[in-house]
Structures are given as C-alpha cells and as structure tokens.
Amino acid sequence: MTVRTEFPREVREERTLRIPVSRGRCLAGRMWLPVDSGHDPVPAIVEAIPYRRLDGTIIQDAVTHPWWAGHGYAAIRLDLAGSGDSGGVLLDEYLECEQDDLCEALAWIAAQPWCSGATGMVGISWGGFAALQVAARRPPSLKAIITCCSTDDRYNDDVHYMGGCLLNDGISWGSGLFSCLSRWPDTLIVGDAWREMWRERLETTGCPIIDWFRHQRRDAFWKHGSIGEDPAAIEAAVFVAGGWTDGYTNAALRMMERLQAPRRALIGPWTHVYPHFGFPGEPVGFLQEALRWWDRWLKDMENGIDREPALTVWMQEESTPHPMHPVIGGHWMSVDGWPPATSSRSFFPGDGTLDSEPARDLAHRFATPLTGGLGGGEWCPRDGGGLGPEFASDQAVDDMLSLVFDSAVLAEPLSILGAPEVTLELASDRAQAQVAVRLCEVTPEGRSARVSFGLLNLAHRHSHEWPEAMIPGKSERVVVRLNDTAWRFRPGNRVRLAIQTGYWPMAWPSPETATLTLNVAGSLLQLPVIQETVVAPAPAGPEFAADHPVTVLEEGDARLTVTRDLSLDEVQLHRIDDSGRVRLDDIDLVVSKRAEEIFGIREGDPSSARTDMVRIVKAERGDWQPGTTTRIAVTCDRETFHIAATLEAFDNDRRFLVRQWNESVPRDHM
C-alpha cells in the first residue's frame, strides 16, 4: 500500500460546490481539482450518492478523489437531492427525478471554465447504479463510467429479491435507507436554513420499504432503472468492477455479454467494496487502473487499455470459509476474447451421489428445517468487510440438514467460470414452495466450502413477472441458475450439490412448510468448465491519497449472536453494528451510528418469521445536536405481510417529531 502526498498536479479542495438544478434547488458537492485547471481545463469525474459527502463518506472519499485530481481531473463527490446539504427531498432509490438532476449537473460541470467538457461517472452500489442509469440517458458530456457492485436488473439481481424469494437483506437495506432519508443538513454549510430543510425532509419523506412490498413481482416499478431492459442505450465506455463474495456477482458477466459500448470487467474475491479496499483477499491498485480508463476515454490517450483482455478475474481455490475472516486462495486470470470459451460438464444426482450418467426410477422426498441455512451468511456482506460475522461459514452443518449428492473424488482439477445451472424434476405438496440449491467443494476432512448458490420461488419457475402457483402433486421440471463464479475444484476433493426447501435467514420462508419430491431421472447439474486460462500478472498494489483527519472518541462494536429457545424451538439472530463516536476534525463534528437487527423464527412455523430493526444516528457540534431513531418491524401470516415503522427526530435530546406507518400488504405468490 502506498500513500501519496505529492502528485503531478497540485490539488485544491472546494468543500462545498453548489450546482443549480431544476425547481430552484442546488446540489451540494465536494470537489478536488488541479490548482492550474483555470488555464489548463481538465475532465471531471463525478460520484453521486445520498450518503453525505461531509460527514458520511469523507474518510473513503479523501483517499480516493484527491488521487485522481492530482493526476489531472476534477473529482466531485455529489450529494443527491434531499441528502447531505443538497436541497429537496429524497423519497426512494433511483427515481427519474434523480437521473434528471444528474444530467443537469453533468451539463453544468462540463460548461465550467475548469472543465475540458468531458465527464465521467464512478460509483459503488447506489453510485454504480446511478452511473449506469445516467449513461443510459446519454448526456452529451458523459464519455465513460466505472460501476462497482451494481446491477442491470433491479428485481432479480438486487438486494430485494432473488429467484423470486424475498431477501432479508432487502429489509435491512430498507431500514438503512429509512434512516438515511430523514437526516439533517449541516448548519455549518446551510446556516439557519438547516432546521427548515430538515423539517421538510422529516415531514415529506415516506418509508420506501412499504412500496417495495407492494411490488413482489417483476413489474414496471423494478424495470425502471434496470438498464438490462435496453443495454444498447449505453454508449459511454463501461468499466465494471465487482467481487465474488459480494451480493452483486452476476451483473458483471451479464453486462459484458450484453453491452455494446466499449467495456471491460475486473472481478476479485472481494465483498461490497471498491477494489482498492478489497476484502477478503488482497486489495489492488484500482485507482491506477481507473486512471488508465479515464485517460483513454476522457482524454483520448492511446494507452492500449481498450486492446487488453476484456475480463480479468480471480480464479478462486483453497477456500477456508469463516463467517468473519474467510480466506480465499487462487490466482488472477484473464480472458482475451468474449464470451469465454467454456464447455458444459454434467453431473447427475443419484442415491446420494453425483454421477456421470443419469439414474433411473429414484425419487427423494424431503422437507428441510426452516433454520437449515444458518451457515449462509448475508446475501451481501457489507461495505468494509470483516466488520462482523457476515460471510458464509463451513457448510457442513447446513449440508447435514439438506438433501445432498456428492461426486467421486476428483482425479483432476476442475475449473469453472460463469453460472452453474441445476435442473430439477420436482413436485410439491403445497401450492407455494421454495427451493435453495448450493454448490460446494468438500475436502477429505469434511470441510465444505460454498462455491455458489441459487434460490427459486417455485411460483416464479416460469416468470418473475407472471407467477403461477404449483399444482400440488404435479411434477415439473424447473431450472435454478446459481450465481456466477470462478472456481477451481482441487484434485482429491468432491463436488457437492445440496438442496433445501428454504434458506432462512437469508430469504423469507414460504407461507407453509412444503415437502418436495425430487425425481433424479429428470435432474442434473451443469457446470461451465473453462479448459484453458491465461494466468494474468497480479495487479499493482493499491495507492491512496492521504487520510482524512479524524479522532476516535469511542470505539465501535460489531457482533452477531445466535440463540435458540429450546422450550419454543425458536431461533433468534441478534446483530449489532455500532460505529462508536468519531470526530471529523476539519469540521469539528462528532458522529455516531448504531444499528440493531433481530431475525426470529420458530421451527415448523414459517408464519412466525419476523424482523425488528432499529437505527440511531446523532451528530454533535457544541450545542447543535440533531439525531434520529428509526424502527422497522416486519411480520407475516399466511396471506399478508405486516410492516410497522416509526421515525423519531431529536434536537439536543428533545424529541420534537414522531411519525408512524402501519401497513398490511397481501402476499403475492411470495
């Protein structure tokens, strides 16, 4: 790791850049740019997110954006309307008005005397979505984007649903967004107007998760902002970055296949982080690679990056699963052409075996425990990785509770790249049911590492847009697409296929406990085998600009506790994520955040599933001490989801506003 304090061009910082947009509002930005850009204009790189440039993401921003500025760019961190110190109200994610604002902001930036007229966008998660969605609008100045840990499909490859199954991560994110929407602007920036701006947010914002529950199938609500609906709309050059342990594992390869603009992809072993903060595994020199991308497409420099391999990935092997500190060995490889040259290798489930030939006249009837997915970790381990036990653990215990098929011991290595696919001949004794499928590598000692997994709400077996209930007792052939991966199975180990009738706590269970019957004669596992790989040199090590000055006043805490009440046969997960108290020295502001999440269920009773979430956020600067407490609880019965939410706002610990929501939403084949 290299920290740079000197760059080719001297950098100055503008803490608050005000960008006018429609309806008399201004977006607030933080900008780093070369001192001499007034007479030597530079392209601009924009990151637009709602997470507060002044006191939310500044620690990450400060080591990233000044580095690009020092190499000849105006680097701008922009708060979306209704967040941070920007005017307006933020009502939900990825609304059309957000895209309108950003198109206007890019036009304003491109017209400034310090800008060359060319712009790019960069972002991770929300910022990555924003870059894609704005690129699809084709603003004239936008020549290139870098999107990290994002997706082109907001329904089936986002935090809300997977295979038509409701994800608990989506409820957790809904709780986080609910807290985010109701926070205050900083009096240091907006002056006395802060209270009026904050009250407008508090009184106008809603609880977006309620709308998400009202759209349980892939309808127009989710198609909006899904650039996969029309990938040809994007003409700007696209650099996609991601990680195999992130929740957004599939979009990178899919966008490489479907986008028509110049494109490349970098996929490491990491979770939901920028590659220069990469974990698990080693971080890489993402800022340097991004600079080459910007130089090629924003400055028209012929540096050869557009003639290099389209795809560079970490081929995983020798994984040691752990819920907090996973270790993922392997090597870098590159693919020169596109698509990769893969072939399909089939395995056929039998009597506990995975064979090279299909079995006949054999059926397995199974109903796995509701708590059989405790080793699954979170759908998307969170930013910063390693803050708590969020990753998949050794799968051996979950395997014992599942229908399992093992291959013979592998005599040769087996490398795959892409999406494994499982075809199942299934019958259900209930109209509504789920199936969860895991692909694992098992060592001779019995350690089981999850290679990939997939979920399917069986009502969505034909369509996410038009679900159909199962006909009890009727056998049907269904296909479960597992997450994309790059994995090298080692000689001496076995391939394992594990099948379950649910995957709580990752996914909300079906309304009733279903028993499935698997006919092995119509079932198979297909692996995308890659025969030859080009071993790529390891990327350069990470570089950073200097850290932002902060003082830790109280250390944070992150932990996950699992308890089982034997008298009720109830399992409860209790997660705490406390940031402690940190002072941002440059603005003399103390910030603190605490989140608690509880997931509970009683074995044998899927209607007992529930979540309870609390988030407490506070700022302190002398007598100015705004804060909020938000709560969301989700419960259900067989026919309905019930959502209760509360927002409390505090001024110097005096509660001055309370809002409540109580909604019941019918379950729509969910």
Side-chain angles (χ1 to χ4, degrees):
M1 182 182 79
T2 301
V3 176
R4 293 200 178 276
T5 56
E6 295 185 2
F7 298 96
R9 296 176 72 165
E10 184 182 355
V11 176
R12 71 175 178 88
E13 177 186 344
E14 191 167 333
R15 182 182 290 166
T16 300
L17 178 70
R18 298 190 184 278
I19 300 178
V21 293
S22 297
R23 298 184 296 281
R25 296 169 298 119
C26 283
L27 303 184
R30 191 166 193 155
M31 179 169 67
W32 296 262
L33 79 165
V35 170
D36 61 357
S37 58
H39 61 80
D40 186 6
V42 295
I45 301 164
V46 178
E47 181 176 19
I49 48 178
Y51 306 131
R52 306 176 63 86
R53 83 211 183 285
L54 204 63
D55 59 21
T57 63
I58 183 57
I59 294 173
Q60 174 179 290
D61 297 340
V63 298
T64 298
H65 289 284
W67 194 98
W68 285 325
H71 288 86
Y73 290 88
I76 301 169
R77 238 296 275 123
L78 196 60
D79 284 340
L80 298 179
S83 68
D85 304 307
S86 292
V89 176
L90 182 61
L91 297 176
D92 202 347
E93 52 184 12
Y94 319 132
L95 298 179
E96 186 174 2
C97 58
E98 172 189 322
Q99 299 165 24
D100 293 341
D101 285 348
L102 295 180
C103 288
E104 289 186 50
L106 290 179
W108 184 90
I109 290 167
Q112 298 311 298
W114 40 259
C115 183
S116 68
T119 63
M121 290 188 70
V122 65
I124 182 171
S125 199
W126 191 313
F129 280 74
L132 287 168
Q133 292 162 3
V134 172
R137 299 278 295 268
R138 301 181 185 176
S141 70
L142 187 65
K143 308 301 181 185
I145 67 170
I146 300 178
T147 180
C148 300
C149 303
S150 65
T151 185
D152 58 345
D153 183 349
R154 290 187 56 215
Y155 180 77
N156 198 49
D157 249 342
D158 196 358
V159 70
H160 308 286
Y161 298 95
M162 181 180 186
C165 299
L166 174 67
L167 293 171
N168 264 321
D169 271 49
I171 301 174
S172 178
W173 162 231
S175 173
L177 179 59
F178 185 43
S179 174
C180 179
L181 297 178
S182 56
R183 292 179 65 184
W184 49 88
D186 195 323
T187 182
L188 184 69
I189 305 301
V190 303
D192 292 340
W194 79 273
R195 191 182 299 274
E196 181 181 348
M197 291 174 66
W198 188 25
R199 183 172 286 277
E200 181 187 17
R201 294 178 187 180
L202 291 169
E203 294 178 347
T204 307
T205 189
C207 183
I209 195 173
I210 296 172
D211 277 340
W212 303 347
F213 269 91
R214 290 177 178 142
H215 298 274
Q216 297 168 40
R217 59 178 72 185
R218 193 174 187 276
D219 57 14
F221 182 88
W222 302 110
K223 291 178 183 179
H224 167 75
S226 294
I227 63 97
E229 293 293 305
D230 183 15
I234 293 182
E235 295 179 345
V238 181
F239 183 178
V240 183
W244 294 127
T245 49
D246 179 42
Y248 298 92
T249 56
N250 305 314
L253 295 186
R254 189 170 55 244
M255 285 192 283
M256 286 295 294
E257 177 183 350
R258 301 189 64 199
L259 289 174
Q260 298 176 22
R263 60 204 182 278
R264 71 177 310 206
L266 172 69
I267 309 174
W270 318 298
T271 183
H272 202 66
V273 291
Y274 276 122
H276 54 314
F277 303 114
F279 176 89
E282 295 297 323
V284 299
F286 172 68
L287 298 185
Q288 301 97 294
E289 280 299 290
L291 178 64
R292 297 179 65 227
W293 190 252
W294 301 132
D295 284 348
R296 172 65 186 89
W297 300 109
L298 301 187
K299 293 183 176 179
D300 295 322
M301 294 174 58
E302 293 291 344
N303 56 16
I305 194 170
D306 52 327
R307 297 187 296 275
E308 294 176 359
L311 174 67
T312 301
V313 301
W314 181 256
M315 176 60 74
Q316 305 168 95
E317 62 177 315
E318 299 183 57
S319 171
T320 303
H322 189 282
M324 191 162 181
H325 302 294
V327 177
I328 303 175
H331 63 272
W332 288 102
M333 59 164 279
S334 60
V335 177
D336 284 320
W338 194 264
T342 59
S343 59
S344 180
R345 179 170 174 181
S346 297
F347 290 88
F348 299 90
D351 190 6
T353 59
L354 279 179
D355 304 314
S356 58
E357 298 293 334
R360 297 181 180 275
D361 300 326
L362 183 61
H364 299 279
R365 193 168 182 267
F366 64 105
T368 56
L370 286 173
T371 55
L374 286 172
E378 294 198 11
W379 177 83
C380 185
R382 297 174 191 176
D383 306 30
L387 293 177
E390 301 174 352
F391 298 89
S393 59
D394 191 318
Q395 301 291 285
V397 174
D398 285 0
D399 291 349
M400 292 173 63
L401 302 175
S402 305
L403 182 63
V404 169
F405 304 91
D406 287 349
S407 75
V409 173
L410 296 175
E412 302 289 340
L414 176 63
S415 297
I416 63 174
L417 173 62
E421 196 168 271
V422 179
T423 301
L424 302 173
E425 188 76 31
L426 281 177
S428 171
D429 69 343
R430 294 288 186 271
Q432 189 68 38
Q434 294 176 358
V435 64
V437 180
R438 291 178 290 114
L439 176 67
C440 301
E441 181 179 18
V442 183
T443 68
E445 301 79 25
R447 188 174 69 242
S448 179
R450 194 181 69 192
V451 174
S452 185
F453 73 100
L455 310 178
L456 180 62
N457 175 346
L458 291 176
H460 287 235
R461 63 198 180 281
H462 302 308
S463 168
H464 294 309
E465 195 167 356
W466 305 106
E468 302 175 54
M470 293 284 283
I471 300 175
K474 180 183 177 181
S475 185
E476 295 192 48
R477 188 162 295 181
V478 303
V479 177
V480 183
R481 185 189 186 278
L482 277 56
N483 285 330
D484 285 294
T485 191
W487 193 280
R488 182 179 183 270
F489 291 88
R490 290 167 291 156
N493 292 346
R494 299 177 187 267
V495 178
R496 172 170 289 173
L497 182 67
I499 307 174
Q500 301 166 245
T501 53
Y503 208 43
W504 187 89
M506 186 182 292
W508 201 277
S510 291
E512 298 180 276
T513 300
T515 297
L516 302 181
T517 301
L518 174 70
N519 186 339
V520 300
S523 304
L524 75 156
L525 162 68
Q526 293 172 289
L527 298 180
V529 176
I530 187 162
Q531 300 295 345
E532 296 183 11
T533 62
V534 177
V535 176
E543 291 190 5
F544 301 91
D547 288 337
H548 190 75
V550 299
T551 301
V552 177
L553 303 177
E554 295 178 14
E555 294 289 343
D557 181 27
R559 61 183 183 272
L560 174 66
T561 304
V562 181
T563 59
R564 183 183 292 272
D565 185 331
L566 295 178
S567 63
L568 298 175
D569 202 7
E570 182 176 77
V571 172
Q572 181 172 285
L573 285 75
H574 185 190
R575 177 183 300 281
I576 295 175
D577 189 354
D578 191 324
S579 69
R581 293 176 68 245
V582 176
R583 185 176 66 231
L584 302 169
D585 296 337
D586 65 326
I587 56 174
D588 190 29
L589 183 71
V590 177
V591 293
S592 59
K593 294 186 292 184
R594 180 179 177 85
E596 292 195 42
E597 301 180 348
I598 296 175
F599 306 87
I601 200 166
R602 287 193 305 275
E603 191 58 69
D605 182 7
S607 292
S608 67
R610 68 184 191 279
T611 65
D612 295 281
M613 302 191 174
V614 179
R615 279 172 165 75
I616 302 170
V617 185
K618 188 173 183 179
E620 305 168 55
R621 185 189 292 120
D623 293 335
W624 185 66
Q625 297 182 12
T628 60
T629 297
T630 54
R631 294 178 171 84
I632 288 180
V634 179
T635 58
C636 70
D637 52 44
R638 290 186 180 184
E639 291 80 29
T640 311
F641 289 111
H642 306 284
I643 306 102
T646 303
L647 163 63
E648 298 175 281
F650 297 87
D651 186 0
N652 285 16
D653 294 325
R654 179 184 65 83
R655 188 177 72 176
F656 70 91
L657 180 142
V658 180
R659 294 183 64 197
Q660 293 181 318
W661 293 259
N662 284 282
E663 297 285 342
S664 294
V665 181
R667 300 178 73 149
D668 181 8
H669 297 83
M670 188 63 58

